[in-house]
Amino acid sequence: MTAELPPGLALQKVDERIMTLNVGPQHPGSGHMRIVVQIDGDYIVACDPDPGYVHRGEEKMAEYRNYITNIPHLERPVIHDSCNVLYPYVLGAEEILGIEVPERAKYVRVIASELNRCIYTQYWLAIYGIFLGHSTMFMWPAGDRELLIDLMEKMSGARVTHAHFVPGGVRNDLPANFEDACLRQVNYFEKRIKEYAAVFYDNPILISRTKDTGVLSKQDAIRLGTTGSVLRASGVDYDLRIKEPYDVYEELDVHTNVMKEGDSYARSKVPWLDMMESCNIIRQALQKMPKSGSVRTKLKPNPKTKGPETVYKRVESGRGSLGCYIVSDGKTEPYRVKMSVGSFRNLIALPYLLKGEKLGNMPSVYWSLNYWPVEADR
Amino acid sequence: MSEETEKPTPETTEKSVAKQEEVIELPALEKGLSEKLTSKFGEKTSIAFVKENRVRVDVKKEDVHDVAEFIRDEMNFDHVESVTGVDFPDDKEIEVVYHIGSYTDNSLANQVLTLATRAPREDIPIPGKDGTRLPTLRDIFYSVEFHEREVFEMLGVYFDGHPDNRRLLLPEDWADLPPLRKDFAIKGR
Amino acid sequence: MLKDLVTPENANVFVGKLGDILEKAIDKPLGYAINWGRIWSLWPVHIETACCSVEFGAASSPRYDVERFGIIEAFGSLRQCDLVVVQGTITRKMAPRLRLVYDQMPEPKYVIAMGACAITGGLYFDSYNVLPGIDGVIPVDVYVPGCPPRPETLIQGCILLQEKIKRMKARKFV
């Protein structure tokens, strides 16, 4: 029995008090995964996450497609954050193919990436509201994110699956008057998300449900290798946009939001603060962006690589650091593509945090990990 | 506008004359990291490349545990970002690559140390029961736990000493070859 | 006379016959009433299978607000649901669970296949872990194409399903 338990959760005594409960995959509080919890009364004594319900073999498929045709399916893991999930792959492919990116394209990428971060976080926040039984908090973010989806639709032509980033820049230039519309919508959006404090973050019900639940200390956050908002909510100031700036992030003034508590409340608040930071970055990028110029270095449909090479590129996505490891053997298809995604890295914290927690707190702890099952399964 | 014209030039020159100047131009940090490793382990490690922010070390599978322990204790790297298995059927080997980063040491925040090791590969794999084995790094870096489970099911590399070598992503009734091996062909290809 | 005929043993037969006659007489209006009830209570099971669930969620957002049609109100218990919206790719691990969920639902039940992956496998046609469409697992009523379908498309698919139910024979499930 002990061999079956997740490691780090040595269960001394198993008796008839312990009940095993399957949460998911058909459950309002699980998403696309199954969490096997063992409960003693109302308290969780062990938890075994069982992902893989959306494992689609994208890494294997990437070995059969060339560097351009890999783009559509590699953005599917997180379709509402599709620019960020594609970003490290595109950066890696550019290094392997040896392409330079025009300056304007880099700014367009930053704008698209930050817009996508907000779109992702809004959806995440809406589902967090559902998980906590807070219907208003579903309606508000789900409605406000449509503003930014409109912007992305103008920019790329698609509602969620943009496929906008390509090796060598972005697929097409910004439409006319995009800057004004973007500035106007982003300003309004920022005004709107500040109102969430009154209905959600200062709500005593939310605070009582999420404060001091699932506390992840700073040492454990580092030891478990968590990333993104989970890490920053535990007091580690780590954001790849600052620590290892890619594209034009070093020319922009980026701040991180760090909270020290490490509980579910902090983990739910950090992405919200990050959205305001994203609005700042978008405004800066709009200001500094070259007003004209090329946005794409043209490539052949089946581009040649420079030769055998391995690259590992990281970006800060909505769920944390997202790495892409590409092994090239000199052919037109990559030899191996590995996506090291934030959700999969944060999953390890789930059994750790749920131990000793009440069963009723499971959805709030689980979703506060900024977890998107489709991405974790790839 | 002047910024825009100036910016690309250093990059292009750096790329074109990278061959001669790469070793000299590199920041001292990456060189220091690689020298620290070679001075400690000597011939056991071979530095595959030293690029900007990236250092790659190849070690034999007998030494990977010691090297990882040294990396954690002496070099301030504290978590593994990703574990990747790469199949090389021609060499009859499977490469397992650990990308190790650091949160605690601010000077190493942009560094990724790549630790690569190789396991022997069997043509007809029996995952968990054949010679495709590596020592686990979970007792050194706790964060490799799910990553190593993934590598086990995707490539059939068994990690000796890993407490929980169960299936993670694939269906429970998967009885085929580990899917990320090169001889596992997907349909229609 | 009638008292002698109806014994406790065959009372059910007589009552049943009477019911048959009654239903024959009012079959059409009754069927219409039953179908009318069904088309306004299409509640989907809470099972997300892949990334189309993002657009499924967006369909409930204030801009699209699918609940104004009286359909697709996300609901917890599958015993009270009569619609499965298969939101995208069905992997080999998920397929038995999907069938299990479908089998547990009471009749009548309807299935909408949402997205290219649920219809044919879509982008993942050559993946080793993805089924080429869900037709082999559960019977599908309406196919909603797109990758992912926009919320409007999903709403249109639901309205198509309503039209279909209106023309269905209600007695089949009684």
Side-chain angles (χ1 to χ4, degrees):
Chain A
M1 191 60 205
T2 40
E4 292 289 312
L5 282 171
L9 295 172
L11 186 67
Q12 262 78 38
K13 201 172 68 179
V14 179
D15 52 32
E16 64 270 16
R17 289 173 59 89
I18 310 291
M19 185 171 89
T20 307
L21 200 65
N22 278 305
V23 184
Q26 191 270 318
H27 191 276
S30 75
H32 324 54
M33 78 178 300
R34 183 170 68 132
I35 308 167
V36 184
V37 287
Q38 295 186 335
I39 50 174
D40 177 3
D42 204 13
Y43 290 89
I44 297 172
V45 289
C47 158
D48 180 17
D50 177 22
Y53 289 91
V54 208
H55 174 66
R56 301 186 280 200
E58 269 150 18
E59 290 169 5
K60 182 76 178 176
M61 286 166 64
E63 295 169 9
Y64 292 85
R65 288 154 165 78
N66 71 30
Y67 286 94
I68 306 291
T69 48
N70 261 330
I71 287 172
H73 76 92
L74 281 182
E75 71 168 5
R76 287 301 189 275
V78 202
I79 56 170
H80 45 318
D81 197 9
S82 61
C83 288
N84 277 322
V85 78
L86 207 55
Y87 214 151
Y89 171 77
V90 169
L91 290 176
E94 271 157 11
E95 191 171 323
I96 284 177
L97 301 171
I99 323 164
E100 289 293 322
V101 185
E103 188 74 3
R104 184 172 157 88
K106 290 181 178 175
Y107 279 99
V108 176
R109 277 186 189 180
V110 166
I111 293 168
S113 151
E114 295 299 329
L115 283 174
N116 256 267
R117 193 189 315 281
C118 292
I119 291 169
Y120 168 78
T121 311
Q122 287 287 82
Y123 184 79
W124 171 85
L125 206 53
I127 301 297
Y128 201 55
I130 286 275
F131 273 25
L132 295 172
H134 196 313
S135 295
T136 313
M137 208 48 203
F138 172 76
M139 286 298 171
W140 284 21
D144 292 338
R145 73 188 268 271
E146 300 286 341
L147 290 173
L148 303 187
I149 287 178
D150 282 351
L151 282 177
M152 284 309 295
E153 209 173 336
K154 268 183 199 153
M155 190 193 273
S156 69
R159 219 181 100 84
V160 279
T161 46
H162 313 299
H164 196 48
F165 293 10
V166 288
V170 292
R171 202 152 41 84
N172 38 30
D173 204 349
L174 296 177
N177 298 329
F178 178 82
E179 283 88 345
D180 298 339
C182 183
L183 200 62
R184 204 169 55 239
Q185 306 236 45
V186 164
N187 285 341
Y188 177 72
F189 176 78
E190 194 181 11
K191 202 180 100 199
R192 275 289 298 168
I193 56 175
K194 278 180 180 158
E195 292 173 18
Y196 295 175
V199 73
F200 195 61
Y201 289 107
D202 296 342
N203 190 334
I205 299 172
L206 176 92
I207 291 172
S208 67
R209 285 195 63 178
T210 54
K211 272 262 189 234
D212 298 326
T213 60
V215 180
L216 186 66
S217 68
K218 188 175 175 180
Q219 288 78 21
D220 287 331
I222 293 169
R223 191 171 64 96
L224 295 172
T226 55
T227 177
S229 61
V230 179
L231 188 69
R232 291 199 288 275
S234 291
V236 184
D237 188 0
Y238 190 85
D239 190 323
L240 282 173
R241 289 175 289 176
I242 297 170
K243 302 290 183 188
E244 192 189 345
Y246 44 95
D247 274 0
V248 288
Y249 273 109
E250 55 195 332
E251 291 163 29
L252 304 171
D253 189 19
V254 187
H255 296 280
T256 47
N257 302 291
V258 182
M259 291 179 82
K260 294 218 164 24
E261 292 87 349
D263 53 5
S264 298
Y265 183 73
R267 282 197 295 275
S268 68
K269 199 165 182 175
V270 165
W272 176 62
L273 296 169
D274 279 352
M275 277 197 289
M276 295 179 196
E277 187 54 40
S278 290
C279 294
N280 279 335
I281 296 170
I282 293 168
R283 279 192 290 264
Q284 289 176 45
L286 281 173
Q287 208 176 16
K288 290 192 177 176
M289 183 168 65
K291 292 299 168 227
S292 61
S294 159
V295 290
R296 183 178 177 185
T297 312
K298 288 277 180 199
L299 275 178
K300 283 177 189 161
N302 201 7
K304 295 253 185 323
T305 53
K306 286 193 296 184
E309 201 176 352
T310 63
V311 292
Y312 182 71
K313 290 282 179 186
R314 307 186 285 176
V315 303
E316 184 77 20
S317 74
R319 296 150 308 286
S321 153
L322 209 159
C324 188
Y325 178 62
I326 308 178
V327 182
S328 156
D329 61 345
K331 294 206 183 93
T332 49
E333 293 93 15
Y335 190 76
R336 175 86 166 87
V337 176
K338 158 86 181 180
M339 311 276 283
S340 171
V341 289
S343 305
F344 193 72
R345 290 173 58 188
N346 286 342
L347 180 62
I348 191 174
L350 184 67
Y352 184 83
L353 290 180
L354 281 184
K355 192 188 175 189
E357 206 63 55
K358 274 190 175 179
L359 184 64
N361 286 335
M362 199 194 80
S364 73
V365 172
Y366 161 60
W367 203 248
S368 73
L369 286 177
N370 217 334
Y371 182 75
W372 180 243
V374 189
E375 188 200 28
D377 299 349
R378 300 187 295 286
Chain B
M1 216 52 200
S2 60
E3 275 180 21
E4 196 194 338
T5 45
E6 274 171 24
K7 258 282 152 189
T9 37
E11 286 172 17
T12 43
T13 47
E14 200 180 273
K15 281 254 159 65
S16 54
V17 289
K19 278 272 146 45
Q20 308 116 36
E21 287 188 319
E22 194 172 24
V23 190
I24 308 156
E25 269 194 12
L26 272 173
L29 192 64
E30 283 90 342
K31 267 184 81 82
L33 289 178
S34 61
E35 274 163 12
K36 212 169 176 180
L37 271 169
T38 39
S39 65
K40 167 79 180 167
F41 290 99
E43 289 167 5
K44 282 180 180 174
T45 60
S46 67
I47 307 294
F49 59 70
V50 181
K51 285 196 253 184
E52 195 192 354
N53 294 345
R54 304 280 186 269
V55 178
R56 180 177 166 131
V57 193
D58 289 341
V59 291
K60 289 220 170 55
K61 70 174 204 173
E62 293 83 23
D63 309 321
V64 64
H65 200 274
D66 298 338
V67 174
E69 204 159 12
F70 177 77
I71 287 170
R72 183 194 64 178
D73 294 338
E74 310 288 324
M75 293 168 72
N76 282 336
F77 285 95
D78 51 24
H79 71 282
V80 170
E81 289 196 354
S82 90
V83 182
T84 315
V86 189
D87 188 18
F88 291 102
D90 298 338
D91 305 349
K92 292 214 171 285
E93 276 175 329
I94 292 176
E95 190 177 72
V96 175
V97 187
Y98 296 84
H99 289 101
I100 308 173
S102 175
Y103 288 143
T104 38
D105 195 340
N106 207 17
S107 62
L108 296 175
N110 55 356
Q111 301 292 324
V112 176
L113 186 74
T114 312
L115 179 67
T117 183
R118 288 192 171 211
R121 179 186 192 277
E122 312 256 339
D123 281 337
I124 303 158
I126 314 162
K129 296 191 181 61
D130 55 9
T132 314
R133 285 163 179 273
L134 281 178
T136 180
L137 297 190
R138 186 185 166 274
D139 47 345
I140 300 167
F141 296 110
Y142 195 97
S143 45
V144 300
E145 183 183 325
F146 283 10
H147 294 281
E148 283 189 347
R149 275 174 74 178
E150 191 198 340
V151 172
F152 171 55
E153 65 172 356
M154 292 296 171
L155 287 128
V157 183
Y158 187 82
F159 288 94
D160 280 324
H162 192 287
D164 193 27
N165 256 319
R166 281 177 304 148
R167 187 156 280 169
L168 188 65
L169 297 178
L170 286 178
E172 295 87 346
D173 55 348
W174 184 269
D176 210 334
L177 287 173
L180 282 180
R181 293 211 180 190
K182 284 286 170 187
D183 45 0
F184 177 87
I186 59 178
K187 52 191 171 189
R189 301 279 176 162
Chain C
M1 179 72 180
L2 197 66
K3 222 175 185 181
D4 297 334
L5 272 174
V6 181
T7 58
E9 286 78 39
N10 64 3
N12 285 343
V13 179
F14 271 90
V15 174
K17 278 274 182 242
L18 199 67
D20 280 358
I21 294 163
L22 257 175
E23 273 178 25
K24 269 261 159 62
I26 55 166
D27 188 25
K28 272 218 163 151
L30 186 71
Y32 181 81
I34 291 172
N35 274 343
W36 180 85
R38 279 174 189 164
I39 62 173
W40 301 115
S41 63
L42 287 175
W43 285 4
V45 184
H46 213 297
I47 180 165
E48 297 95 357
T49 57
C51 44
C52 282
S53 59
V54 175
E55 292 299 79
F56 183 80
S60 303
S61 73
R63 180 176 289 186
Y64 299 102
D65 194 15
V66 69
E67 288 174 23
R68 71 200 142 113
F69 298 107
I71 44 176
I72 314 242
E73 194 208 333
F75 196 73
S77 166
L78 58 84
R79 307 274 178 204
Q80 295 157 17
C81 297
D82 46 9
L83 174 65
V84 190
V85 181
V86 183
Q87 301 154 15
T89 325
I90 293 294
T91 58
R92 284 172 54 170
K93 196 170 178 177
M94 186 60 115
R97 272 84 174 184
L98 179 70
R99 183 69 214 188
L100 206 62
V101 165
Y102 182 78
D103 284 346
Q104 286 182 58
M105 286 166 58
E107 296 277 357
K109 46 196 173 187
Y110 311 99
V111 179
I112 293 179
M114 180 183 181
C117 301
I119 298 172
T120 60
L123 201 56
Y124 298 94
F125 68 97
D126 59 350
S127 170
Y128 55 84
N129 205 25
V130 173
L131 297 189
I134 59 160
D135 313 61
V137 185
I138 49 177
V140 181
D141 288 294
V142 174
Y143 295 92
V144 179
C147 189
R150 292 177 65 99
E152 296 98 322
T153 327
L154 177 66
I155 294 171
Q156 195 203 6
C158 294
I159 292 171
L160 262 177
L161 180 62
Q162 286 183 328
E163 295 291 323
K164 187 177 176 180
I165 294 170
K166 263 185 207 167
R167 292 200 298 272
M168 272 179 162
K169 224 177 164 199
R171 283 276 285 119
K172 199 178 107 191
F173 299 123
V174 172

